Amino acid sequence: MSLLAVLDHSLLGRSAQQALDADTPDGTTQTFTFGELEARSNRLAHALLTRGITAGDRVAFLLANRVEIIDLWLACLKLGVIVVPINVLYQAREIAHIVGDASPTAVITIPARFDDMPAGTTCWDVDALHASAEGEPSTRSFDMPPTPQDATAPMALVYTSGTTGASKGALLTHGNFASNALVLNAAWGMHEQDTLLCALPLFHVHGLANALHCWLAAGCHMKLVERFDVQRAAAWFAGYTPTVFFGVPTMYVRLLELEASTARAIGSHARLFVCGSAPLAAPVLAAFHERYGHVILERYGMTETLMNVSNPYYGERRAGTIGLPLPLTQVRIVTEQGADVAAGESGELWVRGPNVCAGYWRRPEATAAAFAEGWFRTGDIGVRAPDGYITLQGRRSELIISGGFNIYPREIEELLLEHLGIREATVVGVADAARGEVPVAYVVSDDAIDTSSITAWLKTQLASFKVPRAFVRVDRLPRTALGKVQKHLLPPVP
């Protein structure tokens, strides 16, 4: 199935219906019907064709939330172009790897970010591009050869990483996104009368695959804000009165800061709060229930697989668990040898279904290693209760998830070793009440370390969420006979 066939129920079937309130960079709010979004994306598609974009090309964007991302996503969907989202928090070093690996024809961003691109990159100013699209046709009569738009057609190249530190592009298809939207809307009861507040970044699959597609597939109304801001959250909830909110643990921790009366008022209008991208602490779940009158629905997914498991909409939402496998998705929990374990025993989660990506971009060896007999090996360790509820216990990889963002220690470790005086370095995740986990660096250095200096330098090289929150100087790193750092033997953070 083409993803467009799912979204056309709204783009074409609800053309006159109010669809979107979108914050703009200048602080105003624009409103759109589904028909206006259809016309805007068609004009942009024509403009992309005029600039030489063809089916199969990659087009990247580096943008904070704004309606132009939706325009671009839909335009590329219609043209058979592969979208490459780039985290707006990334610095030049991180951007260079993605641009170098994906080889996009162009990167759409704002002029202030042009200098962050590697030399030779074609950069298009998002505002100039959309201005050039104003005079283009608003219909889908694209002058180009027809391209197959079925479940196997590639739609996006979204970058993730492994413990090797080499960032890999997960190739996600029409079928991945279409099945994910249909399953989530059915599982979570999304419908035309809902109102969805979206503060999730649209450069992340949580925002793209869940918020954007659930909204368009259901035909409900969405308010899009640039980013989550607890100082403005009360006004958003009071003025917009959303029935549905998708968030990450950090957002829910901050929402607990609102006055109890405000929380009760917000809860009185809502029907569903969903949390994902990182584990939600049980005390936060309990405190939110008490203040807002809602049990947050936790779910589990990955960049490579979109959504796999969810607590039920109807039924028990069990604290500390990720719930039950979603419709169309199979989940096994297996030993290192791939044998299924019994209920109550730990093992690695393997998943299979139409939500699983086609593999890694131009990395056949990584793709082969990620799959076993048609099952995707998640690297996450979990246990299944006798009644089917799954609890995650950790990750086989050393991935750190902080505020919903993935942090891969190897990347930070290699950078630290470039700093004068640091001879060895390792990075681990430690629990944090607000962000779930934060990175902490252990270093072996010739002299005492200047924490402020190292932090300032790292901030010029990495996104802020990747910068270690603490540095611990040690005489040596505990290692195995083969030289692998034994992180579990590191001393506790002072």
Side-chain angles (χ1 to χ4, degrees):
M1 173 180 287
S2 164
L3 174 61
L4 190 58
V6 175
L7 307 187
D8 274 346
H9 286 279
S10 294
L11 296 174
L12 302 181
R14 300 181 176 95
S15 60
Q17 183 174 309
Q18 288 297 313
L20 178 69
D21 293 347
D23 285 0
T24 65
D26 63 9
T28 61
T29 300
Q30 294 176 294
T31 63
F32 304 93
T33 65
F34 285 112
E36 287 169 338
L37 294 175
E38 162 71 7
R40 285 172 61 93
S41 59
N42 287 339
R43 286 193 289 268
L44 181 59
H46 285 287
L48 292 175
L49 289 174
T50 299
R51 294 191 179 210
I53 298 297
T54 61
D57 284 349
R58 275 83 61 207
V59 171
F61 72 83
L62 178 70
L63 295 166
N65 283 2
R66 53 192 291 175
V67 67
E68 286 81 6
I69 296 177
I70 299 172
D71 297 333
L72 177 65
W73 185 257
L74 294 175
C76 291
L77 172 60
K78 295 168 182 178
L79 295 177
V81 172
I82 302 170
V83 183
V84 185
I86 302 176
N87 189 325
V88 75
L89 299 178
Y90 278 178
Q91 300 297 319
R93 180 189 184 101
E94 301 152 304
I95 294 167
H97 173 73
I98 294 176
V99 171
D101 192 68
S103 302
T105 303
V107 179
I108 299 171
T109 186
I110 58 175
R113 300 302 305 264
F114 283 5
D115 288 343
D116 293 328
M117 302 298 156
T121 302
T122 298
C123 297
W124 291 342
D125 174 5
V126 61
D127 293 316
L129 174 62
H130 280 76
S132 71
E134 286 300 316
E136 297 286 353
S138 62
T139 63
R140 296 186 188 179
S141 56
F142 308 125
D143 184 17
M144 59 181 292
T147 57
Q149 298 288 309
D150 59 17
T152 63
M155 177 61 220
L157 192 55
V158 185
Y159 277 77
T160 183
S161 291
T163 54
T164 61
S167 184
K168 303 186 292 293
L171 191 59
L172 295 163
T173 67
H174 280 245
N176 297 151
F177 286 116
S179 64
N180 189 76
L182 293 171
V183 164
L184 293 188
N185 280 3
W188 298 344
M190 295 291 293
H191 55 77
E192 190 174 354
Q193 286 71 45
D194 271 325
T195 48
L196 172 64
L197 174 60
C198 179
L200 294 166
L202 296 183
F203 56 72
H204 193 284
V205 291
H206 194 168
L208 278 174
N210 293 7
L212 185 67
H213 290 159
C214 286
W215 157 58
L216 287 171
C220 61
H221 193 278
M222 183 172 79
K223 178 176 177 61
L224 178 69
V225 299
E226 181 179 339
R227 60 183 176 84
F228 181 79
D229 181 351
V230 73
Q231 302 301 323
R232 301 176 63 192
W236 290 335
F237 279 100
Y240 185 60
T241 60
T243 62
V244 178
F245 180 73
F246 297 161
V248 299
T250 306
M251 296 179 183
Y252 289 109
V253 170
R254 300 304 304 275
L255 285 174
L256 291 176
E257 299 173 10
L258 299 183
E259 295 289 339
S261 59
T262 301
R264 285 194 299 272
I266 290 171
S268 70
H269 295 292
R271 72 168 183 85
L272 179 62
F273 293 91
V274 179
C275 184
S277 295
L280 181 68
V284 175
L285 189 79
F288 194 89
H289 185 204
E290 180 181 354
R291 293 172 66 84
Y292 286 80
H294 287 266
V295 178
I296 298 170
L297 187 152
E298 290 190 79
R299 82 326 176 262
Y300 161 70
M302 300 178 68
T303 299
E304 295 97 328
T305 65
L306 304 182
M307 297 303 103
N308 301 312
V309 180
S310 172
N311 272 270
Y313 182 71
Y314 295 108
E316 180 189 2
R317 300 178 193 173
R318 189 174 301 174
T321 79
I322 53 174
L324 307 161
L326 282 161
L328 307 184
T329 302
Q330 296 173 275
V331 177
R332 295 174 61 196
I333 301 180
V334 303
T335 66
E336 291 187 9
Q337 293 73 37
D340 292 298
V341 302
E345 295 183 8
S346 298
E348 182 182 3
L349 272 67
W350 288 10
V351 300
R352 183 170 67 182
N355 52 310
V356 178
C357 73
Y360 294 111
W361 177 254
R362 294 176 175 170
R363 294 180 184 268
E365 292 183 358
T367 299
F371 288 86
E373 300 175 356
W375 294 83
F376 183 81
R377 306 172 62 169
T378 69
D380 290 312
I381 304 302
V383 60
R384 195 193 311 255
D387 61 358
Y389 278 74
I390 297 171
T391 300
L392 292 182
Q393 298 176 310
R395 288 173 292 279
R396 191 177 297 281
S397 67
E398 297 170 346
L399 172 69
I400 300 167
I401 301 180
S402 183
F405 292 117
N406 290 354
I407 301 173
Y408 296 89
R410 178 72 177 272
E411 180 184 25
I412 307 170
E413 291 162 358
E414 291 178 345
L415 187 57
L416 282 170
L417 293 175
E418 296 179 15
H419 194 275
L420 185 65
I422 294 179
R423 292 187 285 113
E424 295 181 83
T426 192
V427 175
V428 300
V430 299
D432 180 81
R435 301 190 65 81
E437 293 178 294
V438 293
V440 169
Y442 288 80
V443 300
V444 177
S445 61
D446 297 325
D447 303 299
I449 58 175
D450 182 347
T451 300
S452 60
S453 173
I454 295 176
T455 299
W457 174 69
L458 287 173
K459 286 182 176 179
T460 68
Q461 304 294 313
L462 298 171
S464 58
F465 63 85
K466 296 181 183 179
V467 176
R469 298 305 191 266
F471 295 83
V472 181
R473 187 178 177 220
V474 294
D475 294 330
R476 63 181 183 84
L477 297 179
R479 296 180 182 272
T480 67
L482 295 177
K484 181 177 176 60
V485 177
Q486 296 175 293
K487 296 189 176 185
H488 64 286
L489 297 180
L490 291 166
V493 179

